Amino acid sequence: MLNNMANNNDISFDWSDIVNRFIDNINMGDLIDDFNKKYAEKVESMGRVNIIIAGRTGVGKSSLINAAFRENIAETGMGDPVTASIRMIEKAGVPVRIYDTVGLELNQDTQKASISEIGNLIRSNQNNDIMDMIHLIWYCVSVESERFENVEEEFLKNVANNSVPTVMVLTKAFDKDLTSAFVIKLENKNLPMKKVVPVLAHDKLDYKAFGVDELVEYSISLLPEAVQSAWTSAVKAVKLKREKSQKIVMGTVVTNFAVGFIPIPFADAAVLAAAEIAMLGSIAATYGFKLEKNELISFMSALAGVGGVTVLGKTVVSNLLKLIPGAGTVVGGAISGTTAAVLTFALGNAFITAMDMIASGKIGKTQLNSKEVLNTIKKAFKENLKIGKKKFMKGVPTSEDMTSDGI
């Protein structure tokens, strides 16, 4: 941890005054432009994940795809044919390319051709750019059918090799006892796969959906680091998005704490503003939600606790050091760093609260400016101001501290 440069008595200023000045001096036109720019940059830098989802017809591949990935991409059509046995599914704005397979349920010649074509797809891309490689295979088997045939075992032995991590997905896992027995049976075959994961993609009758988030969260550990951000954005799993976004917030907190020690008055905190807008854009890209102008204005308005946001000011903070007792001293510099860190922490986590509400289906994106939602965001912001003030009183965590904190 950084050395303690201040104590509790040093930080006695009025947070509400700082926050309102922080918000009231934002130029919303610049904010929206910068937000959209950072969002686009983050999305472009993610690249995409390429995944093969294989299995016999009728095992529930489309249901799994729509449960795991946002935008219900399996409903966009049959996909583009790559070969007679492979079709490619993708949707603009969702950084994943899915290769769906057919033919494993047909005659022996068709089965062999399908396995050959899938193997060729993998081999032809593995020496290319990392964004074109096949990164992962999900092989789907239906528990309901209780069938795992020789052709499927051949597929796994010939296609799912060490170069592409493979997960066996047991779909339609209604019956607990049958599923457990099937897992043991498949694991005893010692097939080239990383794990067997049972799932039920959607609620059905008295059975509640389960397993899809666990599958998604396990799968990210098998992917190259370069495409993990793309995976997080492409999937629905809220926990994965939240954890990634919290890391983005903490990284920005460290940056803005350092900005607080720049030995010049904060007459114009342009560096602070740029970091925070980049943070919001990165979080939005992680969740896959690009906010419209009115939605972003509503969010910022909620934090200020006012009905609208002044759009005439050109600075994010107007001489921030003047708001803090001890400005101009070593302690004053420390407090300004703490102030920047706490504001960043609260802003980022309030934004995560808003994104979580959308991602979990509690609200639609167009409901972000409703009174009830804005009150929830405002409450989260105030709570995180208190948490941040306590958390960063003695400085901000190092990268090692952030890992140990589970952030």
Side-chain angles (χ1 to χ4, degrees):
M1 300 284 288
L2 294 180
N3 292 332
N4 183 8
M5 301 286 290
N7 56 48
N8 289 339
N9 294 328
D10 291 322
I11 302 184
S12 58
F13 47 88
D14 184 354
W15 276 107
S16 62
D17 185 34
I18 292 178
V19 171
N20 282 322
R21 295 195 194 192
F22 180 90
I23 302 297
D24 287 345
N25 287 287
I26 289 175
N27 183 311
M28 289 305 296
D30 290 347
L31 174 72
I32 293 163
D33 289 343
D34 288 347
F35 176 88
N36 288 335
K37 180 181 178 181
K38 295 300 181 183
Y39 180 95
E41 289 176 354
K42 181 65 175 179
V43 170
E44 183 177 358
S45 69
M46 286 179 180
R48 69 166 180 271
V49 176
N50 302 309
I51 176 173
I52 291 174
I53 300 183
R56 300 168 66 92
T57 297
V59 297
K61 289 180 288 182
S62 293
S63 294
L64 175 64
I65 291 168
N66 285 332
F69 301 99
R70 58 183 176 86
E71 304 289 344
N72 287 336
I73 56 179
E75 295 179 358
T76 60
M78 295 299 293
D80 298 323
V82 177
T83 69
S85 304
I86 305 169
R87 62 183 182 128
M88 187 264 289
I89 303 171
E90 62 180 345
K91 187 172 183 179
V94 184
V96 64
R97 179 173 285 175
I98 298 168
Y99 293 94
D100 187 12
T101 64
V102 296
L104 293 177
E105 68 286 345
L106 302 177
N107 61 60
Q108 192 174 49
D109 289 340
T110 304
Q111 291 168 352
K112 289 182 178 179
S114 179
I115 293 173
S116 177
E117 288 177 359
I118 296 167
N120 288 338
L121 173 67
I122 294 172
R123 288 187 292 273
S124 65
N125 287 291
Q126 290 314 94
N127 293 325
N128 294 342
D129 185 273
I130 192 168
M131 297 304 172
D132 295 322
M133 294 170 55
I134 301 300
H135 304 116
L136 181 67
I137 297 173
W138 285 351
Y139 189 81
C140 302
V141 179
S142 170
V143 175
E144 192 176 47
S145 70
E146 299 184 61
R147 294 170 61 193
F148 182 72
E149 299 184 356
N150 290 338
V151 65
E152 298 178 282
E153 189 165 341
E154 182 183 351
F155 172 89
L156 289 169
K157 289 179 177 179
N158 286 277
V159 175
N161 51 55
N162 293 329
S163 64
V164 182
T166 300
V167 180
M168 175 81 78
V169 185
L170 300 190
T171 61
K172 303 182 181 182
F174 298 101
D175 188 297
K176 183 177 180 181
D177 292 337
L178 184 60
T179 299
S180 298
F182 208 179
V183 169
I184 293 171
K185 175 183 176 181
L186 292 170
E187 288 180 341
N188 287 339
K189 287 181 174 291
N190 294 317
L191 296 167
M193 57 189 180
K194 296 293 185 179
K195 192 174 184 178
V196 179
V197 181
V199 305
L200 182 59
H202 300 289
D203 294 346
K204 187 172 182 179
L205 300 176
D206 295 331
Y207 300 95
K208 293 293 184 182
F210 73 93
V212 175
D213 281 357
E214 289 79 1
L215 171 64
V216 165
E217 290 165 13
Y218 174 71
S219 293
I220 195 172
S221 67
L222 305 177
L223 297 172
E225 186 176 353
V227 299
Q228 289 182 2
S229 292
W231 182 258
T232 304
S233 178
V235 299
K236 288 182 178 178
V238 178
K239 179 184 175 183
L240 206 59
K241 294 176 183 292
R242 184 188 307 119
E243 290 174 348
K244 173 65 175 178
S245 296
Q246 288 171 338
K247 290 179 181 179
I248 293 170
V249 171
M250 291 306 299
T252 312
V253 164
V254 172
T255 299
N256 284 355
F257 187 86
V259 169
F261 286 93
I262 297 175
I264 58 173
F266 274 79
D268 189 331
V271 177
L272 180 64
E276 289 183 338
I277 295 306
M279 174 183 71
L280 296 185
S282 294
I283 293 171
T286 297
Y287 279 86
F289 301 133
K290 183 177 182 180
L291 300 187
E292 303 298 330
K293 177 179 179 180
N294 65 315
E295 294 162 348
L296 193 55
I297 290 175
S298 294
F299 171 78
M300 299 303 293
S301 298
L303 305 192
V306 296
V309 178
T310 302
V311 297
L312 299 178
K314 293 186 178 180
T315 60
V316 172
V317 181
S318 179
N319 207 357
L320 187 59
L321 285 180
K322 291 182 180 179
L323 304 176
I324 304 172
T329 67
V330 173
V331 172
I335 295 173
S336 70
T338 302
T339 302
V342 173
L343 285 172
T344 301
F345 180 81
L347 176 65
N349 280 289
F351 195 65
I352 289 172
T353 296
M355 296 294 98
D356 261 11
M357 294 173 74
I358 300 171
S360 63
K362 293 179 180 178
I363 63 170
K365 193 162 72 75
T366 57
Q367 295 174 284
L368 190 59
N369 57 3
S370 71
K371 183 177 180 180
E372 181 180 359
V373 173
L374 294 180
N375 285 338
T376 300
I377 294 170
K378 184 176 179 179
K379 180 181 178 181
F381 184 66
K382 289 181 177 180
E383 289 175 349
N384 279 285
L385 281 174
K386 295 177 183 178
I387 294 170
K389 180 179 176 181
K390 181 179 180 180
K391 193 176 187 69
F392 307 126
M393 190 66 66
K394 297 180 181 180
V396 297
T398 64
S399 58
E400 290 79 10
D401 293 326
M402 284 190 280
T403 300
S404 63
D405 285 345
I407 297 174

